[in-house]
Amino acid sequence: MKDYYKGKNFWDKEKSWRIQYPIDDEIIKKAEKILGVRLPLSFISLMKEQNGGELTYPYFMLPDREGKYHLNIDPIHFEKDDVSILSSRELLEDAKIPKEFVVLWTDFHHWLVMDYRNTKENPTIQYIQEDYSTDEMSWKYIKMADTFNDFLKQLFRIAV
């Protein structure tokens, strides 16, 4: 049975897979300047609570297929030796994906991103996956939600 996220207990405090860097307004402003966008307020609020990591409601479904997908969110920090949402441009460039995305999560074959191609704030959420239907490497884009808040409502956990 699916138990959907309802605005509480977003982060799984028991699972910490990397060093957490605290976030404050100064760091958010610096990150937004580097990225050239305004991050959604709900995203900022969650990142201030915990700067990335495992989620209590870690699953989402793609609109066009069965099966659940697992999500964690990369942190915001300025260390060069660790993946961060500030690494988005370099990661996207390496994969030949448009630079106007902010990467929430990737395994380099699949991506969950905030899409800033047509805006500097209030991005849509896109899922990007390798498209194996062609001989050349290409990407398939699947719109997940009109806003980050709408995407949050899609997250669930499996209730026992």
Side-chain angles (χ1 to χ4, degrees), residues 10-146:
F10 185 75
W11 300 107
D12 186 339
K13 305 287 187 190
E14 302 296 314
K15 296 179 183 173
S16 182
W17 46 271
R18 62 169 32 145
I19 298 169
Q20 301 299 317
Y21 299 82
I23 294 294
D24 59 24
D25 289 335
E26 182 180 326
I27 289 173
I28 294 295
K29 286 179 184 172
K30 185 176 176 182
E32 288 179 331
K33 184 176 181 180
I34 289 169
L35 295 168
V37 300
R38 300 267 331 202
L39 296 168
L41 293 177
S42 54
F43 177 76
I44 291 169
S45 178
L46 290 170
M47 295 304 278
K48 284 182 175 180
E49 182 182 325
Q50 179 176 308
N51 186 12
E54 297 284 334
L55 310 183
T56 303
Y57 299 83
Y59 301 111
F60 63 96
M61 309 239 342
L62 295 178
D64 64 344
R65 67 183 67 119
E66 293 294 320
K68 64 185 186 294
Y69 293 81
H70 188 269
L71 171 67
N72 56 51
I73 294 180
D74 288 331
I76 298 173
H77 64 84
F78 304 97
E79 304 292 325
K80 294 290 186 191
D81 61 344
D82 198 4
V83 175
S84 160
I85 71 163
L86 300 178
S87 310
S88 292
R89 292 239 166 85
E90 293 85 17
L91 295 172
L92 294 165
E93 185 178 320
D94 288 346
K96 296 179 179 34
I97 295 175
K99 66 181 180 187
E100 296 87 6
F101 296 128
V102 172
V103 179
L104 294 171
W105 168 87
T106 183
D107 67 2
F108 303 101
H109 301 282
H110 306 88
W111 305 70
L112 187 71
V113 300
M114 290 187 273
D115 183 355
Y116 287 96
R117 288 180 292 180
N118 299 313
T119 186
K120 292 291 182 194
E121 56 188 69
N122 301 317
T124 62
I125 305 301
Q126 297 273 344
Y127 183 82
I128 306 169
Q129 66 183 23
E130 283 186 61
D131 183 355
Y132 297 106
S133 66
T134 63
D135 291 338
E136 287 188 32
M137 173 58 194
S138 63
W139 297 100
K140 179 179 179 182
Y141 296 83
I142 301 168
K143 183 177 178 182
M144 295 299 299
D146 288 329

